[in-house]
Amino acid sequence: RSNLRSTIRVLEVESGRVVPFTIDVRYSLGAPAIIWGRARWSRDGRAIYFVGGNEQGLSGVFEQAFAPGRNTTATRRPVAGFSPEFVTESLGLSPDGSRLTLSIGQESASIMVADGVPGALPPARKLR
């Protein structure tokens, strides 16, 4: 795993005070180009859901307890996603907290051949 990381921090809206709580979301060089650590509050405010990667490098949604002043990493648990077929990019929670929606992306690459197209010429070859 790499030292790359996004850090989730919490601010108190009313005062602007930084709350003593962080979640480090680690990812590797070459990982999908998503916002690692994109987060949402649980309905009761006791947990944070966020996009992160598992040990296999697959992206998905984790849940982790929110407790100011405490390291709650041990409470982190995978919730959804983590598929080799798609990249979990974002998430949404229903107002009552009973449903989670994933936004996914699929990475693909292809090569197209332009054969017989006016103006499409092969690269010039150097003679030796």
Side-chain angles (χ1 to χ4, degrees):
R1 302 219 24 118
S2 176
N3 283 341
L4 300 174
R5 72 173 183 231
S6 294
T7 302
I8 299 170
R9 299 184 189 278
V10 179
L11 295 174
E12 192 175 77
V13 174
E14 191 172 310
S15 68
R17 181 181 68 89
V18 175
V19 176
F21 181 82
T22 59
I23 296 175
D24 283 333
V25 181
R26 298 192 180 279
Y27 58 97
S28 300
L29 189 62
I34 61 173
I35 299 175
W36 295 94
R38 186 179 298 260
R40 304 288 183 266
W41 285 101
S42 66
R43 183 171 183 243
D44 63 7
R46 294 181 182 179
I48 297 176
Y49 292 85
F50 63 94
V51 175
N54 65 11
E55 291 299 318
Q56 292 76 39
L58 301 174
S59 65
V61 175
F62 288 96
E63 176 192 44
Q64 184 169 324
F66 172 68
R70 287 188 31 227
N71 180 346
T72 62
T73 304
T75 69
R76 184 179 299 182
R77 68 179 186 91
V79 176
F82 308 103
S83 171
E85 297 177 26
F86 58 81
V87 174
T88 301
E89 188 273 332
S90 189
L91 67 143
L93 291 168
S94 64
D96 67 359
S98 67
R99 291 191 169 81
L100 173 82
T101 302
L102 299 180
S103 170
I104 63 169
Q106 290 180 311
E107 294 181 344
S108 66
S110 63
I111 296 175
M112 297 182 76
V113 177
D115 191 23
V117 177
L121 303 173
R125 293 185 182 185
K126 292 182 182 180
L127 299 174
R128 291 184 180 197

